[in-house]
Every structure is written in C-alpha cells, then in structure tokens.
Amino acid sequence: MTQKKPNKDIQLEFAGKHQEIAVVRLSRPAKRNALNDALILALRELFENMPASVRAAVIHGEGTHFCAGLDLGELQERDAGQGMHHSRMWHAALERVQYGPVPVIAALHGAVVGGGLELASACHIRVADTSAFYALPEGSRGIFVGGGGSVRIPKLIGVARMTDMMLTGRVYNAEDGERAGFAQYLVPEGQAFDKALALAQRVADNAPLTNYALMHALPRIAEQPADQGFFTEALMAAIVQNAPEAKTRVKAFLEGKAGKVSKS
Ligand code: 1HE
C-alpha cells in the first residue's frame, strides 16, 4: 500500500491489484473516531479529490470502534444558526461519499453510533463483524440526527425501527443489525476489513459506467414514480450497454471466455 496524509485523523492508502482501491481510515482512536468539524471537512475534501485511477473505496475505523459519531465536545458552543450550518456541512461531506466518484464499502466494528451510523449509511455496501453495534444516542442526548440520518437510515431499516431507536435508546447488536438491514454482510470478529477489501476488488473490476449507474441512477430511480422510473431506467440501460466495455464483456461471455454465475 502507498500512503498519503490529508489530515492527521484520517488516512488514505491505496490497495488492490492496480492500487485502484482507496482505503480511508478514521484515525482518531483515543476519541473513538468521533467526528469533529476538521475531520468532516477532510472527509469531504478526500472524496472530492479522489485520484482518477481509483475504482472503489473502503472506509474503516482505527482502534476498537468504527465511529462514536459527532464530537460532542464541539456541540456545546453552537447556537441555532450555527447548528443549521453544521448540519449542512455534514450533508455536503456525506453527499460526496454517496454520490462521489466510486462505490464505497464500509467495514464496521464496535460502535457504529450517531453520526458514525450516518456515515455508514451514506456508503454503498456495509460489512460488519460480530463486535459491531448500532445506536442513535441523539435521542437521549437531547438532540436530533443532523448528518442525513433521517433520510438515509429509514431506507435501510424503516421509519418504525429508527423511531424506536431514538425514542428508547435501543441498541442493535451485529446479528440483529444485519437482520434489520444495517449491514449486507456479517463476518466473524476482526474480518470486516478483509471482506470489505475483497468486495471492493470485485466492485473495482466492474465496468465503471455500470458502477456509475448503480451509484447515481439507481437511488434516484427508486425515488421516482414507476412510470418515470421505467423511462429513466431505459435511458440508463441504453447508455451503459452502448459503451465499448459492455460489448467486450458480453462478447467474452458468448465466446466462453468470461466467468459463469456460480453459487460459491
Ligand atoms: C467522545 C465521543 C464523542 C467517545 N464525542 N468524545 N455519540 C455518542 O453519544 C456516543 C458517545 N460515546 C460512547 O457512548 C462511547 O464512547 C463508545 C460506546 C463509543 C465507546 O466506549 P468506550 O468505553 O470504548 O470509550 P470511552 O471511554 O467512552 O471514550 C474514550 C474517549 O473518547 C473519552 O475521552 P477521554 O478524554 O475521557 O479519554 C470519551 O469522552 C471520548 N469520546 N465518544 C466526543 N462522540 C451530525 S449529527 C450527529 C449526532 C451524533 O452523532 S450524536 C451521538 C454522539
């Protein structure tokens, strides 16, 4: 892996067959990777300036937890106006994660709470190990989600579960969390990062336009009325299949040179 340092609390390295996987590590373990303003701005900058050679990204946390959410130490001094701007700053950063250049796979362990869960929910795939737990302590801290959680989290687990979590302080363990929809993969403790990296390699090997359609078209189509959704889908399908890479890949299959779909 080669390494760059955009901010002392966030690390960027490159991995994969051709160094085409960006590995983003929250690196503030003494504070359980709590996200202060500088870290949120650095996250945004990092995704805005991702090298063009990158095809997929993995995000994970150093130490015993993925992320303890908002740095509560910075909350106390803010008035209402500053609170609004602060929330919009998180939105802008997590928008760059969700609608940035490449699919992002979150490797989750330990606490995935508050803003940490909001960050995880902006990613495209979540892999959790059995140490992971999910909570929205905003409810008991007298605040509300502000990092896009009220938009993204109900899409994973539904409005009823999120309401319950915030009203009652309910904490989901890794197994219940996977069943509820927080994570698409559950792996033994300590294996989330390796699994996420393996998935990132699969993602990176896809045609870039297919990945683009999945990141940028699919969530928008899913929000459209069916008639408009079918039309947008047809447009996207036509564009993607017209790319030379699609023709090459389909031809390879027809000539027996590309892998079949298999259960393993
Ligand atoms: C923090 C934070 C933080 C830890 N802001 N400093 N998030 C929360 O309400 C979660 C608060 N954190 C916790 O419940 C626990 O820290 C954990 C379950 C995540 C981890 O427990 P543990 O026993 O491993 O660590 P710890 O001893 O509690 O914390 C270690 C240090 O990190 C300690 O500081 P120290 O100087 O005494 O060593 C903690 O104070 C510090 N720390 N979490 C600041 N979050 C866009 S809006 C989003 C809104 C939210 O995210 S609200 C939810 C905030």
Side-chain angles (χ1 to χ4, degrees):
M1 285 195 191
T2 50
Q3 196 163 14
K4 275 172 78 181
K5 284 197 175 169
N7 173 296
K8 70 176 174 46
D9 294 332
I10 192 165
Q11 308 289 327
L12 173 62
E13 301 175 341
F14 298 98
K17 287 187 290 194
H18 310 290
Q19 300 282 286
E20 76 280 45
I21 299 170
V23 176
V24 179
R25 182 167 63 251
L26 304 176
S27 200
R28 205 184 171 213
K31 293 290 178 188
R32 307 311 186 244
N33 299 320
L35 299 167
N36 56 23
D37 289 1
L39 199 36
I40 285 294
L41 290 172
L43 188 69
R44 174 181 173 167
E45 194 180 313
L46 192 150
F47 277 89
E48 272 173 358
N49 297 303
M50 199 60 89
S53 54
V54 169
R55 293 278 172 266
V58 170
I59 185 162
H60 69 132
E62 189 176 328
T64 44
H65 300 281
F66 173 69
C67 177
L70 173 72
D71 186 324
L72 292 168
E74 289 187 351
L75 182 88
Q76 286 170 348
E77 298 101 47
R78 269 183 226 118
D79 65 18
Q82 290 165 332
M84 176 84 189
H85 289 304
H86 177 261
S87 173
R88 299 297 289 155
M89 180 182 80
W90 272 65
H91 293 163
L94 298 195
E95 171 101 0
R96 296 319 296 156
V97 175
Q98 182 176 4
Y99 293 118
V102 293
V104 185
I105 296 145
L108 306 175
H109 75 294
V112 184
V113 304
L117 180 52
E118 294 184 291
L119 169 59
S121 67
C123 298
H124 303 91
I125 299 174
R126 282 154 296 279
V127 180
D129 82 11
T130 48
S131 73
F133 57 96
Y134 309 91
L136 290 168
E138 287 89 336
S140 56
R141 308 253 182 261
I143 54 178
F144 190 61
V145 283
S150 56
V151 172
R152 294 192 181 99
I153 295 170
K155 291 198 168 92
L156 301 181
I157 61 166
V159 172
R161 285 196 183 96
M162 179 167 171
T163 306
D164 173 33
M165 287 173 81
M166 292 197 68
L167 285 176
T168 68
R170 180 171 181 170
V171 179
Y172 279 81
N173 66 24
E175 289 77 15
D176 291 343
E178 190 230 1
R179 270 193 294 274
F182 288 110
Q184 293 103 315
Y185 296 86
L186 180 62
V187 296
E189 187 166 353
Q191 294 183 20
F193 179 75
D194 286 349
K195 178 69 179 178
L197 206 54
L199 292 170
Q201 189 67 67
R202 287 288 301 264
V203 169
D205 290 344
N206 288 340
L209 207 49
T210 300
N211 285 349
Y212 181 88
L214 286 165
M215 289 177 68
H216 294 266
L218 176 61
R220 293 182 165 97
I221 292 170
E223 295 291 316
Q224 289 179 337
D227 179 56
Q228 290 173 28
F230 292 136
F231 190 76
T232 313
E233 178 186 275
L235 287 174
M236 197 69 241
I239 292 167
V240 172
Q241 77 190 28
N242 195 43
E245 185 150 1
K247 311 278 182 216
T248 309
R249 286 172 181 245
V250 172
K251 185 163 173 274
F253 173 76
L254 294 173
E255 291 172 352
K257 294 176 189 158
K260 291 183 191 183
V261 176
S262 76
K263 282 190 281 182
S264 60

